[in-house]
Amino acid sequence: MPGNELQYSLIGVGITLILALVVYNLWQERKARKHAETVFRSTHHDVLLDGDQEEVIPPAPGGRMEPTLPTNSVRQINPSPASGTSPPRNAAKAPQSSSIRAQEPVLPWEMQAIDCAVAVEAPAGVSAAALFIAQQSLLAGISKPLQWFGWDDSDHCWISLDARSPGSLNRACAALQLVDRRGALNAQELERFYDQMQLLCDQFLAVPRLPARLDVMKHAAEIDRFCSEVDIQIAVNVIAQDTAFAGTKIRGLAEAANMVLRADGSYYASDEEGRTLFTLSNQEAAAFSAEQLRHLHTHGVTLAIDVPRVTDPVSALDKMISFAHHIADALQGHVVDDNRVALGERSIGLIRNQVGQFEQHMERQAIPAGGEIALRLFS
């Protein structure tokens, strides 16, 4: 029957076309997967995390190796003017080859020196805003700061991502800070971070490159040990002799020195760029406030410097000591240490030398006091 033969022929042709389409789609998918795996093959140089390395800085006391600066293949993202920070003074310069920049983007030093940086490759592209929004729910509850960056192929630089980031990306990076003043990231939280990153990438058909867990935990321990060695605050007290200090006089002295009263109840002295030098607070329980200072009487005030967060801690210490003596002269008080022992020139000299040693130790680690990395670590 000719009609049936024609019908069977058409059905056969249709089935053949469908099979051909399925095979083609599978071939395309395999091709894309192989491309992503080739980019992240373990034998490749880790261009995001490692980069080309300069000569290693000699070890600091304690036998730790110092962090080295990667040779940047990208333009660094400048810190915001409000932060008052600058890139490491010995950071390497970026090569100018646009082809190298396009193929091997290296996350700038200050963005990954104290982080677990996970590279994400999305060969088919992914919406920057959608990626950021999705990670907000998947990675909620991670205790350490987490930053997201996307690689801008047109400008050859990393850009910070947020929920309003425009366009599509083929490369992204999640940088999880390993240490802050609460301590180091623990193994359980790292494992959870890795699991959620894998789920996130699966959702967008992307491939994450997860650094070796043991290496990450070792790096976190080294950073935490370094932080414990330099995380110090120096405080001096000005105590009353016979008459308690009036709050109005304390306020007058602080404002005359251009100190600013903040919400935490302390006055802050800042340098010309707005960076904190030292603080002035009540030695007694009551915090300072604009209203309370009108009626306050206290038997002492405390001046303190947070050494790793100050750009030039020795200079800041000198200014703090000078202001303490100024308060003592104006209010007829005494400058003493925490044991209420008079603070003489010899004691001040010893403190100054100690602060200078801590500052040098931070410099040797390429984490200068008051710099961007230090402000992140000691927050």
Side-chain angles (χ1 to χ4, degrees), residues 233-239 245 250 253-254 257 259 266-269 276-284 288 300-307 316-328 331 334-338 343 351:
Q233 294 182 334
I234 303 295
V236 298
N237 306 289
V238 182
I239 59 173
F245 301 152
I250 295 172
L253 290 168
M259 299 184 76
S266 296
Y267 278 99
Y268 283 73
T276 298
L277 296 174
F278 58 88
T279 60
L280 170 69
S281 56
N282 191 0
Q283 191 181 39
E284 298 177 359
F288 291 148
V301 294
T302 298
L303 297 94
I305 175 175
D306 195 348
V307 172
L317 174 68
D318 290 338
K319 291 178 181 178
M320 183 181 76
I321 296 294
S322 176
F323 187 59
H325 283 294
H326 175 63
I327 294 176
L331 302 181
H334 292 297
V335 179
V336 299
D337 61 19
D338 286 338
L343 205 60
I351 295 173

Side-chain angles (χ1 to χ4, degrees), residues 28-38 207:
Q28 286 285 72
E29 182 180 349
R30 183 180 180 188
K31 182 180 177 181
R33 187 183 299 111
K34 281 190 174 182
H35 171 72
E37 291 175 350
T38 300
V207 180

